[in-house]
């Protein structure tokens, strides 16, 4: 099963809904970054949220970035999703190890710590839209729900789940976001709230192998749910050799000269996808010449 996000509405447009399966995307992130289970869960939940939120964007130029900066040992979590369904992301410390919170429960909150969640929507306009709120549980889903309510004034319910196999690979990942649109009735909000509470754990639901279609039908069937669109999502980075080479050039003349004098090729890796790029001494010399020419 490949990954996708469904977006739909229910209760005559009073509810906007997203549901996603992201197992392959999160497994690709784990494989590239070599994340431990708790880091896989933290990154996977954040990437799943970004994939759902970005499904209304258009093309590769419109992007949505989620950054979570907490006091915990995992450090900063960064994910970017665009309007084509490409999602990339990384955590500062992918090797963080923590005891389980309960049998089978990874301690994402402990890994993340206390801090801030920031969301940037770049729609190709002059100024990107940036909002941020403090973390309330550091489990990511509740923090995102709080962000929507406090920063965007959209009461929301969010669930994100990542389950990891014994060999640390990703078993399954996915989630949902339900949002009450402006003008939604209190009655609908209360009914949906009850539904969310009785639904219980998203991880358990995913483990039972349900698809996003079933999730939306189970949760919103009684509210006359309709799917608006389906977007395929995947782990994909937009880094190129040129881009990494300009990052290397940006360290400046002095540092580049030192590297050249050391006489060894250098390996640079992309933060987002961990792809490795090698630059020979000759190539670094070309970069230095380019810097000189730019100065003239
Ligand atoms: Zn990359």
């Amino acid at each position: 099963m490949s990954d996708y996000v469904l977006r739909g509405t229910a209760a005559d447009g009073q509810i906007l809904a997203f549901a996603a399966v992201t197992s392959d995307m999160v497994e690709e992130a784990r494989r590239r970054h070599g994340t431990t289970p708790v880091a896989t869960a933290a990154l996977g939940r954040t990437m799943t949220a970004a994939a759902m939120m970005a499904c209304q964007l258009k093309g590769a130029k419109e992007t949505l970035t989620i950054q979570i900066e907490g006091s915990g040992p995992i450090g900063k979590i960064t994910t970017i999703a665009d309007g084509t369904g490409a999602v990339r992301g990384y955590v500062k410390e992918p090797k963080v190890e923590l005891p389980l919170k309960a049998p089978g429960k990874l301690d994402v909150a402990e890994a993340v710590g206390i801090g801030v969640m920031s969301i940037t929507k770049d729609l190709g306009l002059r100024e990107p839209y940036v909002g941020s709120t403090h973390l309330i549980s550091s489990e990511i889903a509740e923090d995102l729900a709080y962000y929507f309510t406090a920063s965007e004034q959209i009461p929301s319910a969010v669930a994100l789940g990542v389950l990891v196999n014994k060999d640390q690979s990703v078993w399954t990942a996915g989630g949902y976001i339900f949002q009450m649109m402006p003008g939604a009735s209190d009655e609908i909000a209360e009914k949906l709230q009850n539904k969310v509470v009785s639904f219980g754990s998203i991880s358990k639901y995913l483990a039972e192998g349900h698809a996003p279609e079933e999730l939306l039908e189970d949760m919103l069937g009684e509210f006359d749910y309709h799917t608006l669109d389906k977007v395929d999502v995947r782990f994909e980075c937009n880094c190129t050799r040129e881009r990494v080479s300009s990052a290397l050039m940006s360290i400046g003349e002095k540092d580049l000269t030192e590297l050249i004098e050391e006489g060894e090729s250098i390996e640079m890796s992309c933060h987002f996808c961990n792809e490795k790029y090698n630059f020979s001494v000759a190539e670094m010399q070309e970069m230095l010449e380019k810097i000189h020419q730019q100065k003239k």
Side-chain angles (χ1 to χ4, degrees):
M1 188 168 59
S2 55
D3 296 346
Y4 59 92
V5 174
L6 289 177
R7 185 172 73 95
T9 65
D12 290 325
Q14 295 183 70
I15 302 169
L16 183 62
F18 305 82
V21 57
T22 55
S23 314
D24 292 348
M25 177 180 94
V26 178
E27 169 60 11
E28 179 70 8
R30 182 201 69 88
R31 200 186 58 74
R32 285 181 168 272
H33 296 295
T35 44
T36 55
V38 71
T40 305
L43 179 59
R45 288 180 194 179
T46 312
M47 288 179 70
T48 300
M52 288 193 279
M53 292 173 72
C55 90
Q56 299 185 90
L57 303 180
K58 302 266 176 296
K61 289 245 160 68
E62 296 191 4
T63 60
L64 180 133
T65 305
I66 303 179
Q67 284 188 314
I68 299 171
E69 203 159 10
S71 58
I74 203 168
K76 192 158 149 188
I77 305 170
T78 307
T79 71
I80 302 181
D82 71 24
T84 71
V87 185
R88 59 191 193 271
Y90 68 98
V91 301
K92 186 158 185 295
E93 300 296 341
K95 302 292 181 199
V96 60
E97 304 254 13
L98 287 169
L100 293 176
K101 192 164 64 177
K105 279 218 64 131
L106 297 162
D107 203 343
V108 171
E110 189 65 28
V112 172
I114 46 174
V116 173
M117 170 181 274
S118 306
I119 295 180
T120 307
K121 282 181 213 165
D122 189 343
L123 304 179
L125 306 171
R126 208 178 319 160
E127 295 287 329
Y129 170 84
V130 189
S132 68
T133 46
H134 62 270
L135 301 172
I136 57 162
S137 79
S138 303
E139 292 280 354
I140 300 168
E142 282 170 278
D143 303 304
L144 186 60
Y146 177 71
Y147 167 86
F148 285 131
T149 308
S151 181
E152 299 191 355
Q153 283 78 50
I154 302 171
S156 305
V158 181
L160 303 166
V162 174
L163 289 172
V164 176
N165 292 310
K166 279 221 168 74
D167 68 0
Q168 303 205 346
S169 63
V170 173
W171 173 10
T172 178
Y176 66 74
I177 300 173
F178 301 143
Q179 303 193 308
M180 301 307 298
M181 292 293 96
S185 75
D186 291 346
E187 189 199 336
I188 294 286
E190 199 182 311
K191 272 191 184 166
L192 181 62
Q193 175 66 23
N194 291 338
K195 203 78 193 167
V196 166
V197 171
S198 63
F199 180 78
S201 152
I202 183 78
S203 295
K204 187 164 170 275
Y205 190 82
L206 293 170
E208 287 163 4
H210 299 287
E213 285 81 356
E214 292 173 80
L215 188 152
L216 291 165
E217 192 50 44
D218 285 353
M219 296 285 275
L220 303 177
E222 69 179 83
F223 303 103
D224 195 21
Y225 169 80
H226 298 280
T227 295
L228 296 171
D229 43 33
K230 177 178 174 179
V231 178
D232 291 327
V233 296
R234 67 206 173 274
F235 186 102
E236 189 181 289
C237 189
N238 64 351
C239 63
T240 58
R241 200 173 162 77
E242 288 66 43
R243 210 172 283 201
V244 177
S245 126
S246 51
L248 180 54
M249 275 172 75
S250 73
I251 67 169
E253 214 175 326
K254 184 171 160 281
D255 290 347
L256 200 53
T257 307
E258 274 174 27
L259 284 173
I260 292 166
E261 279 166 2
E262 279 168 25
E264 280 173 35
S265 66
I266 186 166
E267 185 180 86
M268 300 271 289
S269 53
C270 169
H271 283 310
F272 281 97
C273 68
N274 214 20
E275 192 74 29
K276 308 271 191 287
Y277 293 90
N278 253 288
F279 295 96
S280 66
V281 175
E283 283 173 302
M284 286 190 276
Q285 258 152 356
E286 275 172 34
M287 288 176 201
L288 195 60
E289 274 160 36
K290 244 191 217 170
I291 296 175
H292 288 152
Q293 276 166 9
Q294 280 165 3
K295 274 193 170 172
K296 278 177 194 166

